[in-house]
Structure formats: C-alpha cells, structure tokens
Amino acid sequence: MSSIRPAETFPANTPAASQIFTTVLSHGPLTRLEVARRAGLSPAAVTKAVRPLIEAGYLVEDADDQARPALGRPANPVRVDGGRALFIGVKVTGDEIIGVLTDLCCRVRVARHTPLPDREPKSVLASVTELVGELLAEAGDLRIPVLGLGIAVSGDVDRGAGVVRYSPFLQWRDVPLAELAGATTGLPVTVDNDVRALTVAEQWFGAGVGLSDFAVVTVGAGIGCGLVVHGRVVSGAHGVAGEIGHVTVDPSGPPCHCGNRGCVEAIAGDAAIVRRIRETTGAEVRDTAEAVELARRGVPGVREAYARAGEAIGRGIATVANLLGPERVIISGEGLAAHDLFAEQIRDAFAAAAFGSADRCDVQTRPLPFEEWARGAAATAIQSFIRADDQR
Amino acid sequence: MSSIRPAETFPANTPAASQIFTTVLSHGPLTRLEVARRAGLSPAAVTKAVRPLIEAGYLVEDADDQARPALGRPANPVRVDGGRALFIGVKVTGDEIIGVLTDLCCRVRVARHTPLPDREPKSVLASVTELVGELLAEAGDLRIPVLGLGIAVSGDVDRGAGVVRYSPFLQWRDVPLAELAGATTGLPVTVDNDVRALTVAEQWFGAGVGLSDFAVVTVGAGIGCGLVVHGRVVSGAHGVAGEIGHVTVDPSGPPCHCGNRGCVEAIAGDAAIVRRIRETTGAEVRDTAEAVELARRGVPGVREAYARAGEAIGRGIATVANLLGPERVIISGEGLAAHDLFAEQIRDAFAAAAFGSADRCDVQTRPLPFEEWARGAAATAIQSFIRADDQR
DNA sequence: TTCTTTTATTGACGACGGAAAATAAGGGCT
DNA sequence: AGCCCTTATTTTCCGTCGTCAATAAAAGAA
C-alpha cells in the first residue's frame, strides 16, 4: 500500500560498525587508531569496519596534512562525507512548518517555512508533503539522494511506532504520522517529540558530543527539557519526560494552564512574561518582541519580570541538576533572544539551589537559529538511517 | 599487602551468561525457553550457558512439578540456588552499623547491629571488621562460603574506585574504604552510596524487578532518591544524583541546612517535622517516636505537620515523575512508620502536581525492615560478584 | 502403539572481533 | 643513498559466541 521506496541501506550490519560511524560522525576527522581508542575496539576491527563504509562512500580519507607529528608513519584520518546523502527535517508548530535539507553531517543546506492553514492532520500532512517535495527538488538539483525524513512534533510521540499519541498543541490523538508521511513522500520517516529531536542533534552534532549525561532546556512559548542519561535520550515509561515546564518553583505563584500554580512555565513562558509586564506596569504589550524592547529601554518593572523568569528557569535547572547530576545543561530556545535580560538570574538561582557537587554542572547557553528545531528532526532521521542501537 | 583471598570466581565469562543468570535471579524459576525469550537469546544459547552454571552449583533444576501444562514435554525450570553462596552487607549510619548475612538470592539469614564509638574512619573500620568477623563465623557454621562484602555509606561514593569521596554525615573525605576493608576482612569489597544500594536491591529483588525506569524515595532523617533509567542506576556525572531532598517545594518555607528555604527535607525530614510540631504546638517533642505518638493521639496541630510533610514529599515525587517519567515510584524508609499520617497527602499532592501522563506512574509504599539498608549493600556485593556489565 | 505437542539438546556453521605479526610510510642520520 | 626509528594500518590467524536446523525427550491423546 504505502509505496516507500526501498531506499539505500546503510552498510553497518554490526554494532561495532555503527558505533565506529557515529564516533567519526560526532568527533570529526579521526585516525583509525583514535577511533579504536574511543570506541574501545582493536585497530584491526576499525580497519575492517571502515573499509565497506569507504567503499560505499559514507566515509572518506581526509587528506588533511597539517599538524602532523614529525615521527612515524603519517596518520590517515577518516571523516564522514557529508555530501554523500541528504536528509530532510520538518518541525510542525502551531501555525507554520519549518523544513530543512541537511547533509549527512546534519549541516543545513536549505531551509524553508510555510504557514499552516489549520491544524487538522490532513492539512498538516498536505503542507508537509508539499514542503518536502520542494526540498526533494532542491536535492535533485544537487544530484544527491535523500535518505530519510524526520518530523518533530510537540507532545507525546511514540517514535518506535511512528505515532503522535497526543499533541495538546495540535489537538491530535493517535495520528500514525510516520505511515502517512511515508506514503505521501516515499521516504523512510522518523517521527519524534520536538525537544527530544533537538536533544539528539545536540548529542550528535552539538554541545552534548561526547557526554553521556546532559540536559537541553528550551526557553520560549513553553519551557521544555530533553535529557540524556547513560548516553541515551530519556523517553519516559509513558512517552513523556523532561517536563521541566511544570516543575513548581513557587506554590503561591501565578496559575498555570496545567492547573497548578507557580510552574516554571507559568512564570518564564513567553505568555507569562508578557502578562506579568502588563499586570505590573500597565503597559500595552502585545508580544515578546515588544516586551524585550521595553526592557532594553529600561522601562521600570519590565526587567523585573525577566529577572523573575530567569530565577524560575535557574531553579528549574537546579532541580534537574540535583536529581540527575548531568555534566552539562544547554539552554536554548527562541526565548534566548532575551538572553541578556535573565542570564545572570539563571546563573544565580542555579548556583543557589544546586546542592553539593551539582553546581559543578556546566550551564551554557546556545543561540538557536530558527531552523534548529527542524535540524533536530533531520538528526533523528540520520539516527534512524544509521540504526544505531548502541548507546553513547 | 592486602591479603584478599582470590575468592571463588563466577563462571559467567560471556555477557549472555551473566544476563541469563540475572534473569533467573530476578524472575524466580524459569524454563530455559522462558529465559531465552526474556533475555532475547536463542534457546540453544541458554542451554549452553546454563550448563556450567549448574555444574558450578549456582543454578539448580527445579523439580517443582506443579501446574504443568498437560501437553508436550514437561518443562524443566531452573532457579538460583540461594544456599550456594553467602554475602555480607553493611550499612554505616552516624551512630551504629548494621550488618546482614544474606544468601545468593539476597535473603537475609542473619542480621546484627553494633553501636559506633565515633566516626573516625579507623574506628568505623574496626567495628565493621568485627561485625563482619561475627557474620563470617555464622557463615562458617553453615559451611557456606562468603563471596563478597558490600558496604553502604551515605554521601558521594565512587563505587568503581571503592572510595568514599565525601560523606557529610561521617565527615569523611576520600577514604579508600574498599581497599581498607578488603585488607582487614579478606573479602572482595564493594562500596556504594546507601540509597543507590537500596535501589539496586529493589531493582534485582524488590518492586523494581523487570522495570527499566523507576525511582526509590526514602523518607527518614533525610529524604533521598535512587533512580533507575534505561535499566541502570543513575550515579550522575559527579557522583551525586537523586537529591530529591533538596528540591525546593516552597521558596518561602523553612530554612534548610543546605542554605536554601523550603527544600523537601526542610519540611519532611524527621528533624523538620519535630521542629515544626514544637513551634506550632509548643509541645515538648524530643524525637520522631514521640511525634507519631502525639499525632495518633490526635493532638491538634501535630497531624498538620505530617500533612505538610506529605504534601512536600508528594510534590517532590511529582517533580521526579515529570522529569523522568518513571514507571513506578517506591516510597520507603524509616519515616514510613508514620505512613498512615501522610500517605493521603503524598498521593493528593502527587496527583495534583503530576503533569499529563506522568500521573500514570504507579506510586507505592513499601515498609522497610531496619536491616533493609544493609541488605541493599549485600545486593551490590552480589552484583559485583556477577560482574554484570550488562544493563536491565 | 503411534502420533502430537512442547521443551531441551546437539552439532555444524558463520560472523565478529582480538592478538600478533607483517607491512607501510614517513623523517632523521650517517 | 641506505639504514634505522617510530608510528599507523593492514593482514592473517584464531577463538568464541550465538543461530539454525535437526533431533531427542517426555508426556498425553488417539
């Protein structure tokens, strides 16, 4: 029924091979010896696993002859050939969809977005199909095959089954998106939660490379959190995890749409900040951009709203750090546009609420280009393609 | 120097073998076919791995001929022979040490405790050595070899290195306890954090059997939490994790020794409850036992302190559930003696603060016999003996 | 008895990855 | 140029593990 083309398959049958590939993918050009060391394998095993990958064109020997040690046989590093294959990532938001065409190294080649007429699965699917079609055309111009499609959706998503169980934002329930999109695009489709997708991108290509325990916190309309523990993204027993947005920081705080009071999101979410500014200053603020504008102009009371938000976020992050002891927390999201307005409060609140050696955790902020969410989706597609059933 | 006897070694060289053994250990008698199904192996592999384990006496065929299906060749279940080997677990608290002698199935055979003269590593080591000596004598009477010693200590413990990095309670820093105890007892020693040890016991022999994601919350003098994610106990990048006791539930709450206000422990720890009762009722309460007594007698204001504690614990658990989405949370600890006084509040607060499907998490309470902490230590020794480098 | 059904075992086989030795590829030295 | 030294990579050989397919075993059913 669904005419998914039996797309090119990745020649890494053995766990060692896929582990080697992901090591090279994440850690740039590496000599075979170095790969062996990092992957805990013998050099011989690396040579053997690398050969078919080079033959298939996924890896290339890097003729980069700089900074070579004076002694001994020159090393012959290998790296992933990003131009060998392309992937498409799509992020579905409430009112638009963002799509990117990336290469195998998850570098964005083309980014597009289209508004969404409505949130019905049918129309969303049609828009996605159209956008993917455009990106496929671009890929055709480049004469590089597209080997997978990743779709990121907020809410409870069962990646294994390819089903969106429940997305409050889109008001979807049990939509078999992977199957549907597979049928219309002819590509192998991976569907995952948006924050988890972003976390995968950080884990493989970003600030989480090489770490087995870290967290990604997204600040924006909502406050989300992706967790990596023991080298694997946490999905939770019931498909939901990382709900830092509904961690209570002040039981007497403002009411949250979840029914409680003083959730992180009820204080530091975009809408909460704007509402707070309206309430305390009486100013006519419509959206975040205006709020940031006012704050930068030094309108009294506005910075205070941001300070409060920063404190809430810092406390939320400290909670994560106290419970999981991650090595690093990466703060990202659209909300970072206001970074300078609450960075200090985040740090202070974190330092104050982190217990014991949890404060050794490295908290960093990372700007998030608008297409980053879609890039995360592409990362999940790459991950599925490599079928890395291994951790780390 | 250290005369660690080259104790009997476990004949499970291959990962498959140790996985098979742990499966049988946790899931009681199983037919080989069933083991194969659960461990994801072929029946042939099970047969081959089981043979040497039976020959060495660790597994026995269970002649339990009940409830056999009428058809086909009768199944021949295998189970672990608990009496094949013994292990010793020791829990070091501030003023006493508790030791247990358990069998290979972690069933307690003998339990002992001794007061501790002081907290110097030297005297603690001497007391531990003496207690272990007594238990070894008991084991000698039974004519069963003791194959390992587990020691549980609160604080930051590096299990791999066998070093207590920092224990605020004992005021220890970088004490190489495994090496020291190994030298005085002649046993292979495993040292781990006390809450993690308890968690290991639950994972292998308790309410966490078969679950890949769950949490253990201990209520008592402190509030602790052990986490299992992806089938493995979480240790945190810096050796500390599960600090649920210092999750803030009320920023305007009572001050905590950690420097913040309104931590779970500052509201629901033993000392906090007692202090609260004294403050609100003026009653002369010295310890928890008296507090419980007053509450049961219905003294006004006392139940309220417990209700407050229950609410704090419930919120803390909800935070864990929101962040990690565990399948189950097991509440335990000495504090459960007052279980009837706050169980309801825990449940209510949890249900209110759990977001989305996090409330599908199964929250259960489990009474904790006084020697349970020591049994956890024994479980870590058993785990080390089996050297299960595999997860699940 | 003979067949059926289910569980356990056996033996051949293939694949994976390790160890060690061989080879490759410089650069410096004489 | 020829030799030596060092380090990277490859080759060859080999053990191990686990699967597959066939077979044995142990009952009840026909």
Side-chain angles (χ1 to χ4, degrees), chain A residues 8-11 21 32 47-61 78-79 81 84:
Chain A
E8 197 174 327
T9 166
F10 188 64
F21 188 79
R32 292 170 174 76
T47 292
K48 280 185 274 200
V50 159
R51 199 191 331 272
L53 290 169
I54 288 187
E55 273 165 13
Y58 293 106
L59 293 180
V60 290
E61 300 210 319
V78 279
R79 64 177 173 79
D81 179 9
R84 173 65 179 75

PDB file of all heavy atoms in Angstrom, chain A residues 8-11 21 32 47-61 78-79 81 84, chain D residues 10-11:
ATOM      1  N   GLU A   8      18.193   3.219  -0.281  1.00  0.00           N
ATOM      2  CA  GLU A   8      19.559   2.818   0.009  1.00  0.00           C
ATOM      3  C   GLU A   8      19.708   2.437   1.476  1.00  0.00           C
ATOM      4  O   GLU A   8      19.188   3.098   2.364  1.00  0.00           O
ATOM      5  CB  GLU A   8      20.413   4.049  -0.264  1.00  0.00           C
ATOM      6  CG  GLU A   8      21.860   3.729  -0.408  1.00  0.00           C
ATOM      7  CD  GLU A   8      22.606   4.984  -0.829  1.00  0.00           C
ATOM      8  OE1 GLU A   8      22.024   5.807  -1.562  1.00  0.00           O
ATOM      9  OE2 GLU A   8      23.758   5.126  -0.423  1.00  0.00           O
ATOM     10  N   THR A   9      20.425   1.375   1.710  1.00  0.00           N
ATOM     11  CA  THR A   9      20.571   0.952   3.105  1.00  0.00           C
ATOM     12  C   THR A   9      22.015   1.109   3.563  1.00  0.00           C
ATOM     13  O   THR A   9      22.950   1.017   2.761  1.00  0.00           O
ATOM     14  CB  THR A   9      20.074  -0.496   3.273  1.00  0.00           C
ATOM     15  OG1 THR A   9      20.507  -0.979   4.515  1.00  0.00           O
ATOM     16  CG2 THR A   9      20.629  -1.373   2.184  1.00  0.00           C
ATOM     17  N   PHE A  10      22.154   1.343   4.825  1.00  0.00           N
ATOM     18  CA  PHE A  10      23.455   1.678   5.388  1.00  0.00           C
ATOM     19  C   PHE A  10      24.257   0.412   5.663  1.00  0.00           C
ATOM     20  O   PHE A  10      23.765  -0.504   6.319  1.00  0.00           O
ATOM     21  CB  PHE A  10      23.244   2.457   6.684  1.00  0.00           C
ATOM     22  CG  PHE A  10      24.495   3.022   7.267  1.00  0.00           C
ATOM     23  CD1 PHE A  10      25.213   3.988   6.590  1.00  0.00           C
ATOM     24  CD2 PHE A  10      24.937   2.597   8.499  1.00  0.00           C
ATOM     25  CE1 PHE A  10      26.359   4.527   7.141  1.00  0.00           C
ATOM     26  CE2 PHE A  10      26.083   3.134   9.057  1.00  0.00           C
ATOM     27  CZ  PHE A  10      26.798   4.096   8.361  1.00  0.00           C
ATOM     28  N   PRO A  11      25.493   0.332   5.177  1.00  0.00           N
ATOM     29  CA  PRO A  11      26.246  -0.916   5.281  1.00  0.00           C
ATOM     30  C   PRO A  11      26.945  -1.073   6.617  1.00  0.00           C
ATOM     31  O   PRO A  11      28.147  -1.255   6.664  1.00  0.00           O
ATOM     32  CB  PRO A  11      27.259  -0.806   4.147  1.00  0.00           C
ATOM     33  CG  PRO A  11      27.530   0.665   4.053  1.00  0.00           C
ATOM     34  CD  PRO A  11      26.270   1.361   4.474  1.00  0.00           C
ATOM     35  N   PHE A  21      30.990   4.422  13.091  1.00  0.00           N
ATOM     36  CA  PHE A  21      30.497   5.502  12.240  1.00  0.00           C
ATOM     37  C   PHE A  21      30.033   6.692  13.069  1.00  0.00           C
ATOM     38  O   PHE A  21      30.362   7.834  12.761  1.00  0.00           O
ATOM     39  CB  PHE A  21      29.353   5.003  11.356  1.00  0.00           C
ATOM     40  CG  PHE A  21      28.928   6.008  10.337  1.00  0.00           C
ATOM     41  CD1 PHE A  21      29.665   6.194   9.181  1.00  0.00           C
ATOM     42  CD2 PHE A  21      27.805   6.790  10.549  1.00  0.00           C
ATOM     43  CE1 PHE A  21      29.290   7.145   8.248  1.00  0.00           C
ATOM     44  CE2 PHE A  21      27.425   7.745   9.619  1.00  0.00           C
ATOM     45  CZ  PHE A  21      28.171   7.920   8.460  1.00  0.00           C
ATOM     46  N   ARG A  32      42.294   6.009  12.392  1.00  0.00           N
ATOM     47  CA  ARG A  32      41.704   4.727  12.772  1.00  0.00           C
ATOM     48  C   ARG A  32      42.104   4.335  14.194  1.00  0.00           C
ATOM     49  O   ARG A  32      41.310   3.789  14.952  1.00  0.00           O
ATOM     50  CB  ARG A  32      42.129   3.651  11.781  1.00  0.00           C
ATOM     51  CG  ARG A  32      41.535   3.847  10.397  1.00  0.00           C
ATOM     52  CD  ARG A  32      42.178   2.896   9.403  1.00  0.00           C
ATOM     53  NE  ARG A  32      41.554   2.930   8.086  1.00  0.00           N
ATOM     54  CZ  ARG A  32      41.729   3.882   7.189  1.00  0.00           C
ATOM     55  NH1 ARG A  32      42.469   4.929   7.463  1.00  0.00           N
ATOM     56  NH2 ARG A  32      41.154   3.803   6.006  1.00  0.00           N
ATOM     57  N   THR A  47      39.776  -0.986  11.047  1.00  0.00           N
ATOM     58  CA  THR A  47      40.121  -1.111   9.634  1.00  0.00           C
ATOM     59  C   THR A  47      39.061  -1.898   8.883  1.00  0.00           C
ATOM     60  O   THR A  47      38.570  -1.488   7.840  1.00  0.00           O
ATOM     61  CB  THR A  47      41.481  -1.829   9.483  1.00  0.00           C
ATOM     62  OG1 THR A  47      42.488  -0.971   9.992  1.00  0.00           O
ATOM     63  CG2 THR A  47      41.758  -2.151   8.039  1.00  0.00           C
ATOM     64  N   LYS A  48      38.686  -3.018   9.471  1.00  0.00           N
ATOM     65  CA  LYS A  48      37.729  -3.886   8.774  1.00  0.00           C
ATOM     66  C   LYS A  48      36.366  -3.236   8.626  1.00  0.00           C
ATOM     67  O   LYS A  48      35.719  -3.377   7.601  1.00  0.00           O
ATOM     68  CB  LYS A  48      37.630  -5.224   9.511  1.00  0.00           C
ATOM     69  CG  LYS A  48      38.783  -6.144   9.154  1.00  0.00           C
ATOM     70  CD  LYS A  48      38.644  -7.515   9.782  1.00  0.00           C
ATOM     71  CE  LYS A  48      39.223  -7.535  11.179  1.00  0.00           C
ATOM     72  NZ  LYS A  48      39.537  -8.899  11.662  1.00  0.00           N
ATOM     73  N   ALA A  49      35.944  -2.520   9.664  1.00  0.00           N
ATOM     74  CA  ALA A  49      34.622  -1.912   9.587  1.00  0.00           C
ATOM     75  C   ALA A  49      34.623  -0.691   8.675  1.00  0.00           C
ATOM     76  O   ALA A  49      33.622  -0.388   8.035  1.00  0.00           O
ATOM     77  CB  ALA A  49      34.153  -1.519  10.989  1.00  0.00           C
ATOM     78  N   VAL A  50      35.749  -0.006   8.638  1.00  0.00           N
ATOM     79  CA  VAL A  50      35.814   1.228   7.857  1.00  0.00           C
ATOM     80  C   VAL A  50      35.806   0.940   6.352  1.00  0.00           C
ATOM     81  O   VAL A  50      35.216   1.691   5.586  1.00  0.00           O
ATOM     82  CB  VAL A  50      37.071   2.048   8.261  1.00  0.00           C
ATOM     83  CG1 VAL A  50      37.450   3.030   7.174  1.00  0.00           C
ATOM     84  CG2 VAL A  50      36.819   2.763   9.572  1.00  0.00           C
ATOM     85  N   ARG A  51      36.415  -0.150   5.966  1.00  0.00           N
ATOM     86  CA  ARG A  51      36.550  -0.384   4.522  1.00  0.00           C
ATOM     87  C   ARG A  51      35.218  -0.329   3.769  1.00  0.00           C
ATOM     88  O   ARG A  51      35.079   0.464   2.829  1.00  0.00           O
ATOM     89  CB  ARG A  51      37.300  -1.678   4.230  1.00  0.00           C
ATOM     90  CG  ARG A  51      37.841  -1.683   2.800  1.00  0.00           C
ATOM     91  CD  ARG A  51      38.359  -3.030   2.344  1.00  0.00           C
ATOM     92  NE  ARG A  51      38.882  -3.853   3.422  1.00  0.00           N
ATOM     93  CZ  ARG A  51      40.137  -3.823   3.858  1.00  0.00           C
ATOM     94  NH1 ARG A  51      40.994  -2.990   3.316  1.00  0.00           N
ATOM     95  NH2 ARG A  51      40.507  -4.618   4.823  1.00  0.00           N
ATOM     96  N   PRO A  52      34.252  -1.143   4.157  1.00  0.00           N
ATOM     97  CA  PRO A  52      32.982  -1.071   3.404  1.00  0.00           C
ATOM     98  C   PRO A  52      32.324   0.305   3.477  1.00  0.00           C
ATOM     99  O   PRO A  52      31.661   0.715   2.532  1.00  0.00           O
ATOM    100  CB  PRO A  52      32.111  -2.141   4.071  1.00  0.00           C
ATOM    101  CG  PRO A  52      32.760  -2.458   5.357  1.00  0.00           C
ATOM    102  CD  PRO A  52      34.208  -2.172   5.188  1.00  0.00           C
ATOM    103  N   LEU A  53      32.545   1.010   4.575  1.00  0.00           N
ATOM    104  CA  LEU A  53      31.947   2.345   4.685  1.00  0.00           C
ATOM    105  C   LEU A  53      32.597   3.315   3.712  1.00  0.00           C
ATOM    106  O   LEU A  53      31.947   4.202   3.162  1.00  0.00           O
ATOM    107  CB  LEU A  53      32.081   2.866   6.121  1.00  0.00           C
ATOM    108  CG  LEU A  53      31.210   2.152   7.151  1.00  0.00           C
ATOM    109  CD1 LEU A  53      31.587   2.547   8.567  1.00  0.00           C
ATOM    110  CD2 LEU A  53      29.734   2.446   6.885  1.00  0.00           C
ATOM    111  N   ILE A  54      33.893   3.139   3.497  1.00  0.00           N
ATOM    112  CA  ILE A  54      34.570   3.976   2.495  1.00  0.00           C
ATOM    113  C   ILE A  54      34.126   3.584   1.098  1.00  0.00           C
ATOM    114  O   ILE A  54      33.820   4.431   0.261  1.00  0.00           O
ATOM    115  CB  ILE A  54      36.105   3.849   2.636  1.00  0.00           C
ATOM    116  CG1 ILE A  54      36.563   4.568   3.913  1.00  0.00           C
ATOM    117  CG2 ILE A  54      36.820   4.423   1.417  1.00  0.00           C
ATOM    118  CD1 ILE A  54      38.053   4.658   4.083  1.00  0.00           C
ATOM    119  N   GLU A  55      34.033   2.267   0.892  1.00  0.00           N
ATOM    120  CA  GLU A  55      33.618   1.806  -0.436  1.00  0.00           C
ATOM    121  C   GLU A  55      32.241   2.336  -0.784  1.00  0.00           C
ATOM    122  O   GLU A  55      31.962   2.690  -1.923  1.00  0.00           O
ATOM    123  CB  GLU A  55      33.618   0.272  -0.486  1.00  0.00           C
ATOM    124  CG  GLU A  55      34.994  -0.284  -0.851  1.00  0.00           C
ATOM    125  CD  GLU A  55      35.100  -1.772  -0.544  1.00  0.00           C
ATOM    126  OE1 GLU A  55      34.047  -2.401  -0.290  1.00  0.00           O
ATOM    127  OE2 GLU A  55      36.230  -2.289  -0.528  1.00  0.00           O
ATOM    128  N   ALA A  56      31.361   2.372   0.211  1.00  0.00           N
ATOM    129  CA  ALA A  56      30.006   2.865  -0.044  1.00  0.00           C
ATOM    130  C   ALA A  56      29.968   4.386  -0.102  1.00  0.00           C
ATOM    131  O   ALA A  56      28.926   4.973  -0.397  1.00  0.00           O
ATOM    132  CB  ALA A  56      29.059   2.348   1.034  1.00  0.00           C
ATOM    133  N   GLY A  57      31.092   5.028   0.219  1.00  0.00           N
ATOM    134  CA  GLY A  57      31.156   6.475   0.083  1.00  0.00           C
ATOM    135  C   GLY A  57      30.744   7.269   1.301  1.00  0.00           C
ATOM    136  O   GLY A  57      30.729   8.493   1.266  1.00  0.00           O
ATOM    137  N   TYR A  58      30.389   6.576   2.393  1.00  0.00           N
ATOM    138  CA  TYR A  58      29.951   7.315   3.577  1.00  0.00           C
ATOM    139  C   TYR A  58      31.128   7.925   4.332  1.00  0.00           C
ATOM    140  O   TYR A  58      31.011   8.968   4.939  1.00  0.00           O
ATOM    141  CB  TYR A  58      29.133   6.404   4.493  1.00  0.00           C
ATOM    142  CG  TYR A  58      27.832   6.018   3.865  1.00  0.00           C
ATOM    143  CD1 TYR A  58      27.628   4.742   3.366  1.00  0.00           C
ATOM    144  CD2 TYR A  58      26.812   6.947   3.727  1.00  0.00           C
ATOM    145  CE1 TYR A  58      26.439   4.400   2.757  1.00  0.00           C
ATOM    146  CE2 TYR A  58      25.624   6.617   3.119  1.00  0.00           C
ATOM    147  CZ  TYR A  58      25.438   5.336   2.634  1.00  0.00           C
ATOM    148  OH  TYR A  58      24.273   5.000   2.026  1.00  0.00           O
ATOM    149  N   LEU A  59      32.256   7.236   4.276  1.00  0.00           N
ATOM    150  CA  LEU A  59      33.456   7.787   4.891  1.00  0.00           C
ATOM    151  C   LEU A  59      34.467   8.085   3.783  1.00  0.00           C
ATOM    152  O   LEU A  59      34.479   7.422   2.748  1.00  0.00           O
ATOM    153  CB  LEU A  59      34.066   6.790   5.879  1.00  0.00           C
ATOM    154  CG  LEU A  59      33.274   6.456   7.143  1.00  0.00           C
ATOM    155  CD1 LEU A  59      34.039   5.464   7.999  1.00  0.00           C
ATOM    156  CD2 LEU A  59      32.966   7.719   7.931  1.00  0.00           C
ATOM    157  N   VAL A  60      35.315   9.094   4.022  1.00  0.00           N
ATOM    158  CA  VAL A  60      36.402   9.361   3.087  1.00  0.00           C
ATOM    159  C   VAL A  60      37.671   9.581   3.897  1.00  0.00           C
ATOM    160  O   VAL A  60      37.616   9.978   5.056  1.00  0.00           O
ATOM    161  CB  VAL A  60      36.137  10.606   2.210  1.00  0.00           C
ATOM    162  CG1 VAL A  60      35.026  10.341   1.219  1.00  0.00           C
ATOM    163  CG2 VAL A  60      35.813  11.804   3.088  1.00  0.00           C
ATOM    164  N   GLU A  61      38.791   9.293   3.233  1.00  0.00           N
ATOM    165  CA  GLU A  61      40.049   9.568   3.900  1.00  0.00           C
ATOM    166  C   GLU A  61      40.336  11.043   3.735  1.00  0.00           C
ATOM    167  O   GLU A  61      40.202  11.602   2.653  1.00  0.00           O
ATOM    168  CB  GLU A  61      41.163   8.723   3.280  1.00  0.00           C
ATOM    169  CG  GLU A  61      40.867   7.247   3.408  1.00  0.00           C
ATOM    170  CD  GLU A  61      42.137   6.429   3.495  1.00  0.00           C
ATOM    171  OE1 GLU A  61      43.085   6.736   2.760  1.00  0.00           O
ATOM    172  OE2 GLU A  61      42.161   5.491   4.316  1.00  0.00           O
ATOM    173  N   VAL A  78      40.032   9.617   8.878  1.00  0.00           N
ATOM    174  CA  VAL A  78      38.803   9.448   8.094  1.00  0.00           C
ATOM    175  C   VAL A  78      37.753  10.401   8.639  1.00  0.00           C
ATOM    176  O   VAL A  78      37.756  10.753   9.805  1.00  0.00           O
ATOM    177  CB  VAL A  78      38.252   8.021   8.173  1.00  0.00           C
ATOM    178  CG1 VAL A  78      38.968   7.104   7.241  1.00  0.00           C
ATOM    179  CG2 VAL A  78      38.294   7.502   9.583  1.00  0.00           C
ATOM    180  N   ARG A  79      36.868  10.793   7.731  1.00  0.00           N
ATOM    181  CA  ARG A  79      35.737  11.621   8.166  1.00  0.00           C
ATOM    182  C   ARG A  79      34.511  11.227   7.365  1.00  0.00           C
ATOM    183  O   ARG A  79      34.614  10.563   6.321  1.00  0.00           O
ATOM    184  CB  ARG A  79      36.056  13.100   8.002  1.00  0.00           C
ATOM    185  CG  ARG A  79      36.274  13.496   6.571  1.00  0.00           C
ATOM    186  CD  ARG A  79      36.528  14.985   6.431  1.00  0.00           C
ATOM    187  NE  ARG A  79      36.899  15.272   5.059  1.00  0.00           N
ATOM    188  CZ  ARG A  79      36.027  15.373   4.048  1.00  0.00           C
ATOM    189  NH1 ARG A  79      34.737  15.203   4.286  1.00  0.00           N
ATOM    190  NH2 ARG A  79      36.446  15.608   2.832  1.00  0.00           N
ATOM    191  N   ASP A  81      31.634  11.769   4.841  1.00  0.00           N
ATOM    192  CA  ASP A  81      31.410  12.598   3.661  1.00  0.00           C
ATOM    193  C   ASP A  81      29.986  13.130   3.726  1.00  0.00           C
ATOM    194  O   ASP A  81      29.029  12.448   3.368  1.00  0.00           O
ATOM    195  CB  ASP A  81      31.615  11.782   2.391  1.00  0.00           C
ATOM    196  CG  ASP A  81      31.353  12.626   1.143  1.00  0.00           C
ATOM    197  OD1 ASP A  81      31.185  13.861   1.284  1.00  0.00           O
ATOM    198  OD2 ASP A  81      31.310  12.062   0.042  1.00  0.00           O
ATOM    199  N   ARG A  84      27.501  12.877   0.847  1.00  0.00           N
ATOM    200  CA  ARG A  84      27.129  11.562   0.332  1.00  0.00           C
ATOM    201  C   ARG A  84      25.622  11.348   0.308  1.00  0.00           C
ATOM    202  O   ARG A  84      25.089  10.609  -0.518  1.00  0.00           O
ATOM    203  CB  ARG A  84      27.777  10.497   1.208  1.00  0.00           C
ATOM    204  CG  ARG A  84      27.359   9.069   0.917  1.00  0.00           C
ATOM    205  CD  ARG A  84      27.802   8.653  -0.474  1.00  0.00           C
ATOM    206  NE  ARG A  84      27.414   7.280  -0.747  1.00  0.00           N
ATOM    207  CZ  ARG A  84      26.195   6.905  -1.023  1.00  0.00           C
ATOM    208  NH1 ARG A  84      25.232   7.794  -1.048  1.00  0.00           N
ATOM    209  NH2 ARG A  84      25.921   5.636  -1.276  1.00  0.00           N
TER     210      ARG A  84
ATOM    211  P    DT D  10      44.203   0.628   6.479  1.00  0.00           P
ATOM    212  OP1  DT D  10      43.819   1.125   5.148  1.00  0.00           O
ATOM    213  OP2  DT D  10      43.234   0.604   7.574  1.00  0.00           O
ATOM    214  O5'  DT D  10      44.805  -0.846   6.286  1.00  0.00           O
ATOM    215  C5'  DT D  10      46.013  -0.986   5.560  1.00  0.00           C
ATOM    216  C4'  DT D  10      46.490  -2.426   5.647  1.00  0.00           C
ATOM    217  O4'  DT D  10      47.065  -2.699   6.936  1.00  0.00           O
ATOM    218  C3'  DT D  10      45.402  -3.484   5.433  1.00  0.00           C
ATOM    219  O3'  DT D  10      45.877  -4.367   4.442  1.00  0.00           O
ATOM    220  C2'  DT D  10      45.262  -4.148   6.795  1.00  0.00           C
ATOM    221  C1'  DT D  10      46.656  -3.981   7.359  1.00  0.00           C
ATOM    222  N1   DT D  10      46.756  -3.961   8.852  1.00  0.00           N
ATOM    223  C2   DT D  10      47.633  -4.829   9.463  1.00  0.00           C
ATOM    224  O2   DT D  10      48.319  -5.618   8.858  1.00  0.00           O
ATOM    225  N3   DT D  10      47.675  -4.719  10.827  1.00  0.00           N
ATOM    226  C4   DT D  10      46.939  -3.858  11.621  1.00  0.00           C
ATOM    227  O4   DT D  10      47.067  -3.849  12.832  1.00  0.00           O
ATOM    228  C5   DT D  10      46.039  -2.994  10.907  1.00  0.00           C
ATOM    229  C7   DT D  10      45.193  -2.020  11.674  1.00  0.00           C
ATOM    230  C6   DT D  10      45.988  -3.081   9.580  1.00  0.00           C
ATOM    231  P    DT D  11      44.865  -5.384   3.784  1.00  0.00           P
ATOM    232  OP1  DT D  11      45.022  -5.201   2.334  1.00  0.00           O
ATOM    233  OP2  DT D  11      43.531  -5.300   4.398  1.00  0.00           O
ATOM    234  O5'  DT D  11      45.519  -6.772   4.198  1.00  0.00           O
ATOM    235  C5'  DT D  11      46.936  -6.843   4.348  1.00  0.00           C
ATOM    236  C4'  DT D  11      47.341  -8.118   5.051  1.00  0.00           C
ATOM    237  O4'  DT D  11      47.435  -7.877   6.472  1.00  0.00           O
ATOM    238  C3'  DT D  11      46.377  -9.300   4.882  1.00  0.00           C
ATOM    239  O3'  DT D  11      47.105 -10.416   4.438  1.00  0.00           O
ATOM    240  C2'  DT D  11      45.781  -9.508   6.266  1.00  0.00           C
ATOM    241  C1'  DT D  11      46.848  -8.938   7.187  1.00  0.00           C
ATOM    242  N1   DT D  11      46.314  -8.338   8.439  1.00  0.00           N
ATOM    243  C2   DT D  11      46.901  -8.651   9.639  1.00  0.00           C
ATOM    244  O2   DT D  11      47.836  -9.413   9.748  1.00  0.00           O
ATOM    245  N3   DT D  11      46.341  -8.021  10.730  1.00  0.00           N
ATOM    246  C4   DT D  11      45.280  -7.149  10.731  1.00  0.00           C
ATOM    247  O4   DT D  11      44.880  -6.643  11.760  1.00  0.00           O
ATOM    248  C5   DT D  11      44.708  -6.872   9.441  1.00  0.00           C
ATOM    249  C7   DT D  11      43.537  -5.939   9.333  1.00  0.00           C
ATOM    250  C6   DT D  11      45.241  -7.470   8.361  1.00  0.00           C
TER     251       DT D  11
END
